[in-house]
Amino acid sequence: MTAVQPAADSLIQVGRLGAAHGIKGWLWVTSLTDPAANIFGYRPWYLKTREGFRAVKVLEWRDQPKGLVAQLDLCVDRNAAELLRGTEVWVPKEALPDLEEGDYYWSDLIDLEVRTASGQLLGTVHGLMETGANDVIVVRPSTGSLDDRERLIPWLPGQVVTRVDLEARVVTVDWDTEF
């Protein structure tokens, strides 16, 4: 396995490795894709380590009743698999399918400024959450923001989220600054 240092902005996190499964080096895999098994269709995989990104091959994978498991080329036994517990799985962004107009990968929204329709800076997108009814963007204060409040703003395109400009790195929202 050779250390590879792809540009950080060319990769996207798609999962995380969990505990060892069995004695032959298999690992539980937590997928951030929807549906979860799509993680195995995006290649090559890079594991984010302290030394940087390392390319790895998925030899086999299975959908178990309790989740997904995989065997990687560098895991020959349970001990090797346990050393990878908690490691993030990343793939090149170009491995993902193109999105339709108005759809975004969550990772593309992180760190974008969030402004009201009148131009007031609320902060930056820190993360997104699934709530069941609709997704929510977590907006944390940033330099120059209106105040020091964290806000949870519903991701409702056309209603609350009125514009997303990836080039300008701004999300415009129709949102009362008192919320």
Side-chain angles (χ1 to χ4, degrees):
M1 181 171 71
T2 306
V4 176
Q5 294 304 318
D9 63 351
S10 71
L11 299 176
I12 185 170
Q13 185 183 359
V14 293
R16 179 179 303 276
L17 300 178
H21 174 69
I23 61 171
K24 296 184 179 180
W26 287 70
L27 293 143
W28 289 99
V29 177
T30 300
S31 174
L32 301 177
T33 65
D34 185 25
N38 279 4
I39 190 172
F40 299 110
Y42 308 133
R43 307 268 173 96
W45 276 19
Y46 292 97
L47 301 183
K48 187 175 183 182
T49 68
R50 281 183 239 134
E51 295 81 32
F53 290 98
R54 293 189 166 256
V56 64
K57 289 183 181 175
V58 177
L59 301 177
E60 292 182 67
W61 70 273
R62 290 192 300 255
D63 191 354
Q64 298 284 97
K66 293 184 180 180
L68 302 170
V69 294
Q71 185 177 40
L72 308 179
D73 63 347
L74 61 130
C75 292
V76 294
D77 60 23
R78 184 179 185 85
N79 292 336
E82 277 298 327
L83 293 174
L84 295 176
R85 182 183 207 153
T87 303
E88 296 174 355
V89 178
W90 294 68
V91 298
K93 286 182 180 178
E94 64 265 9
L96 300 176
D98 292 332
L99 296 175
E100 294 192 22
E101 181 76 25
D103 287 340
Y104 305 94
Y105 287 114
W106 283 13
S107 64
D108 292 335
L109 301 174
I110 302 298
D111 294 329
L112 266 59
E113 286 186 347
V114 178
R115 293 188 173 271
T116 64
S118 63
Q120 293 177 299
L121 177 62
L122 298 178
T124 58
V125 177
H126 174 73
L128 291 102
M129 300 185 304
E130 291 182 77
T131 64
N134 53 267
D135 296 333
V136 172
I137 54 176
V138 179
V139 180
R140 291 206 174 149
S142 61
T143 304
S145 61
L146 178 67
D147 53 33
D148 290 335
R149 292 176 45 202
E150 179 178 273
R151 289 177 170 83
L152 301 177
I153 300 176
W155 181 263
L156 295 170
Q159 297 174 40
V160 176
V161 177
T162 58
R163 185 164 190 251
V164 176
D165 187 337
L166 293 178
E167 285 186 33
R169 304 199 42 77
V170 175
V171 175
T172 304
V173 295
D174 183 5
W175 193 249
D176 185 340
T177 59
E178 295 302 312
F179 287 130

